[in-house]
């Protein structure tokens, strides 16, 4: 008994000491949270080429797999040169996937960038005209105003002009040196980004060439660490996450590309200005579900409003029709049921992840929330199965309570049809 009491006391002491250590580490982490985030950021910056390589591999693997399937049919099998055949098929499929992606990116850059920058330069050159147009609107609005309102408007104009002059002299000019420094930092950041992308592309080539071997090694490690039952669950979960992310991201990219092209064609037919610039903005923001079309539509409509109110109205009607076509025809055909989330959960994921991670969060928030939703749903259904209760959601829509003996969900009856004793609550002693 004494030996047993000693070990029990030792176990409780170790558990208490472990809890105390965990609490101390937790409060230390909260106190040094900025330093910890800085260290994590530096570590992620080092791993950025590998991260880019994983993302490129993740997006290009389906194309690589399709190319391998076709080459397996076209290239005849040989017992003597089986290994050389596999290497040839794998190398050609990887080269095809990488070259296809590079050609697509280069074509987009060659076709879009010159006209994009041309539209931006044209917009900058038209700033005086736009300013004069806005001034004309203000003068026309004040022409019918009372002298008192005109005097207030002129006073406001003078105050704004004085504020801008003071800002130029005391704020903008002293900060010129720091602005030049930030430009140099931005250029260094751009060079670093290009370096990481090039290294990531090289990493993706190696990953795609040996992806089957790496997958086999990861599965071997998974089943070596966990039991077969948990290994099956984890493997299924990884496949679900991969399919959800790949289907959503690739579908959204293709959908946004189609919307951008249709927007450019429509604006060119209607001869609206800044067609490439506006179509690029509409296509990029369309990647964000729900909020994306609104984010792209408002500034582009305001831009056209400075040129011509009629053209802005024409563009607004055209974009609204285009978004309806995308939401009801193009989007469902491309995306299908990639996430399976209702509109409420999609909006919730956009608000939460967009507030936490900005634009990237709004793009990846929906598939992340879809995975979390599926996990929660699986957990709830598992617990309902343990409690011997039905798993269908519709059963709980008009329920009254659960019968504790039969474990059935009793439905609430309409008013006037209740029998005596039916509206009584279940006995507390049975709960």
């Amino acid at each position: 008994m004494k030996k047993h009491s000693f070990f029990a006391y030792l176990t409780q002491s170790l558990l208490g000491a472990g809890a105390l250590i965990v609490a101390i580490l937790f409060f230390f982490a909260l106190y040094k949270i900025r330093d910890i985030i800085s260290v994590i950021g530096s570590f992620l910056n080092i791993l950025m080429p590998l991260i880019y390589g994983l993302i490129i591999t993740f997006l290009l693997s389906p194309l690589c797999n399709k190319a391998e399937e076709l080459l397996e049919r076209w290239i005849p099998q040989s017992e003597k040169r089986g290994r050389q055949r596999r290497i040839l098929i794998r190398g050609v499929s990887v080269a095809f996937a990488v070259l296809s992606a590079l050609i697509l990116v280069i074509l987009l850059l060659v076709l879009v960038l010159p006209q994009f920058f041309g539209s931006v330069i044209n917009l900058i050159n038209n700033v005086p005209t736009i300013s004069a147009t806005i001034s004309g609107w203000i003068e026309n609005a004040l022409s019918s105003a009372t002298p008192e309102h005109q005097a207030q408007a002129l006073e406001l104009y003078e105050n704004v002009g004085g504020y801008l002059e003071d800002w130029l002299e005391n704020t903008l000019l002293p900060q010129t040196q720091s602005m030049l420094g930030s430009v140099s930092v931005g250029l260094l950041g751009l060079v670093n980004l290009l370096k990481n992308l090039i290294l990531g592309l090289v990493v993706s080539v190696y990953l795609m060439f040996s992806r089957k071997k790496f997958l086999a090694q990861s599965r071997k490690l998974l089943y070596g660490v966990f039991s077969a039952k948990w290994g099956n669950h984890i493997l299924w979960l990884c496949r679900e996450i991969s399919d959800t992310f790949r289907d959503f991201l690739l579908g959204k990219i293709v959908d946004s590309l189609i919307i951008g092209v249709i927007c450019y064609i429509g604006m060119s037919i209607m001869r609206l200005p800044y067609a490439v610039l506006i179509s690029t903005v509409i296509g990029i923001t369309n990647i964000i579900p729900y909020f994306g079309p609104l984010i792209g539509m408002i500034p582009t409509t305001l831009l056209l409003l400075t040129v011509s109110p009629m053209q802005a109205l024409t563009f607004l009607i055209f974009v609204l029709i285009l978004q309806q076509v995308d939401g009801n025809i193009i989007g469902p055909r491309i995306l299908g049921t990639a996430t399976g989330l209702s509109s409420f959960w999609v909006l919730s994921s956009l608000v939460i992840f967009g507030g936490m991670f900005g634009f990237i969060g709004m793009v990846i928030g929906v598939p992340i929330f879809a995975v979390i939703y599926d996990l929660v749903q699986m957990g709830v259904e598992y617990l309902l199965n343990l409690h011997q209760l039905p798993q269908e959601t519709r059963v709980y829509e008009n329920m009254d309570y659960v019968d504790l003996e039969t474990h059935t969900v009793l439905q609430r009856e309409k008013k006037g049809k209740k029998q005596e004793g039916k509206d009584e609550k279940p006995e507390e002693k049975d709960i």
Side-chain angles (χ1 to χ4, degrees):
M1 293 293 295
K2 291 183 178 180
K3 185 177 181 180
H4 177 72
S5 301
F6 172 75
F7 280 112
Y9 177 76
L10 179 62
T11 302
Q12 293 177 0
S13 301
L14 292 176
L15 289 175
L20 181 60
I21 292 172
V22 170
I24 293 173
L25 292 176
F26 176 74
F27 284 108
F28 177 77
L30 288 179
Y31 182 72
K32 295 290 185 180
I33 187 66
R34 292 185 178 179
D35 296 334
I36 294 174
I37 293 176
S38 178
V39 171
I40 294 174
S42 300
F43 183 69
L44 289 177
N45 191 27
I46 296 173
L47 295 179
M48 200 55 67
L50 182 60
I51 295 174
Y52 285 149
L54 290 172
I55 294 174
I56 295 172
T57 303
F58 180 77
L59 295 176
L60 295 184
S61 290
L63 183 59
C64 194
N65 293 332
K66 290 293 183 181
E68 279 196 14
E69 292 178 3
L70 292 176
L71 292 175
E72 287 283 352
R73 300 175 186 175
W74 294 344
I75 299 178
Q77 296 184 0
S78 175
E79 296 181 359
K80 295 182 179 180
R81 298 182 178 179
R83 186 172 181 274
Q84 289 83 350
R85 178 178 177 272
R86 288 194 301 270
I87 294 175
L88 176 63
I89 291 175
R90 197 166 301 172
V92 172
S93 62
V94 171
F96 172 76
V98 173
L99 289 177
S100 299
L102 287 176
I103 291 173
L104 179 61
V105 172
I106 291 172
L107 283 176
L108 288 175
L109 293 177
V110 170
L111 295 175
V112 174
L113 276 186
Q115 298 189 41
F116 180 83
F117 285 116
S119 299
V120 172
I121 293 172
N122 187 24
L123 176 62
I124 294 173
N125 293 330
N126 288 334
V127 166
T129 305
I130 295 173
S131 178
T133 302
I134 296 175
S135 299
W137 291 349
I138 296 175
E139 291 177 359
N140 292 331
L142 292 176
S143 61
S144 59
T146 61
E148 181 180 356
H149 291 165
Q150 291 181 1
Q152 292 176 355
L154 291 175
E155 183 180 359
L156 178 62
Y157 177 77
E158 291 176 357
N159 292 334
V160 172
Y163 173 78
L164 290 176
E165 184 178 356
D166 180 70
W167 178 76
L168 288 173
E169 293 179 356
N170 301 323
T171 304
L172 182 61
L173 293 178
Q175 291 182 355
T176 302
Q177 186 175 0
S178 61
M179 290 175 63
L180 292 175
S182 63
V183 169
S184 62
V185 171
L187 292 176
L188 290 176
L190 180 61
V191 172
N192 190 34
L193 175 63
L194 292 176
K195 180 202 71 175
N196 290 334
L197 285 175
I198 294 173
L199 291 177
L201 184 62
V202 175
V203 170
S204 67
V205 171
Y206 286 99
L207 288 175
M208 280 191 290
F209 189 83
S210 304
R211 66 189 185 282
K212 293 184 178 180
K213 180 180 179 181
F214 291 147
L215 287 174
Q217 290 175 344
S218 61
R219 291 165 186 165
K220 180 180 177 181
L221 177 63
L222 174 66
Y223 284 95
V225 174
F226 298 96
S227 64
K229 179 181 178 180
W230 281 103
N232 291 335
H233 288 310
I234 295 174
L235 185 61
W236 176 86
L237 178 61
C238 292
R239 286 173 178 167
E240 286 293 314
I241 294 174
S242 175
D243 293 340
T244 301
F245 269 82
R246 183 180 287 114
D247 294 342
F248 179 80
L249 293 178
L250 290 178
K252 261 300 177 183
I253 291 173
V254 173
D255 177 54
S256 300
L257 182 63
I258 293 174
I259 292 300
V261 172
I262 294 176
C263 183
Y264 173 73
I265 294 174
M267 292 187 68
S268 299
I269 293 174
M270 292 183 290
R271 297 182 180 180
L272 297 177
Y274 311 116
V276 176
L277 175 62
I278 293 176
S279 301
T280 304
V281 173
I282 294 294
I284 292 175
T285 56
N286 192 72
I287 297 177
I288 302 174
Y290 285 93
F291 292 144
L294 185 64
I295 293 173
M297 182 177 61
I298 292 176
T300 51
T301 304
L302 292 176
L303 174 62
L304 289 176
L305 186 62
T306 59
V307 178
S308 170
M310 194 63 193
Q311 288 182 337
L313 179 61
T314 303
F315 171 76
L316 182 61
I317 296 173
F318 168 69
V319 171
L320 289 175
I321 296 174
L322 179 61
Q323 295 303 332
Q324 292 299 317
V325 172
D326 178 42
N328 296 291
I329 299 176
I330 301 176
R333 289 185 177 274
I334 295 176
L335 294 173
T337 56
T339 59
L341 292 176
S342 63
S343 301
F344 173 77
W345 294 119
V346 172
L347 291 175
S348 300
S349 64
L350 292 174
V351 172
I352 294 172
F353 288 93
M356 294 172 61
F357 305 107
F359 179 81
I360 299 297
M362 297 183 76
V363 174
I364 66 175
V366 174
I368 291 177
F369 201 91
V371 172
I372 296 174
Y373 184 89
D374 289 339
L375 291 177
V376 173
Q377 185 178 15
M378 289 169 52
V380 171
E381 291 178 353
Y382 175 76
L383 294 176
L384 288 173
N385 188 34
L386 288 181
H387 298 155
Q388 299 179 2
L389 294 174
Q391 300 178 0
E392 294 81 5
T393 304
R394 59 180 179 83
V395 176
Y396 299 89
E397 289 180 355
N398 299 314
M399 69 167 289
D400 192 3
Y401 63 93
V402 176
D403 189 280
L404 301 179
E405 295 181 357
T406 61
H407 295 281
T408 57
V409 178
L410 299 181
Q411 302 297 318
R412 185 183 298 274
E413 297 182 1
K414 295 182 179 179
K415 292 182 178 181
K417 294 186 179 181
K418 289 186 177 181
Q419 299 178 2
E420 295 183 1
K422 288 292 184 178
D423 54 347
E424 297 180 358
K425 295 182 180 179
E427 297 180 4
E428 296 293 336
K429 63 181 181 179
D430 294 332
I431 297 177

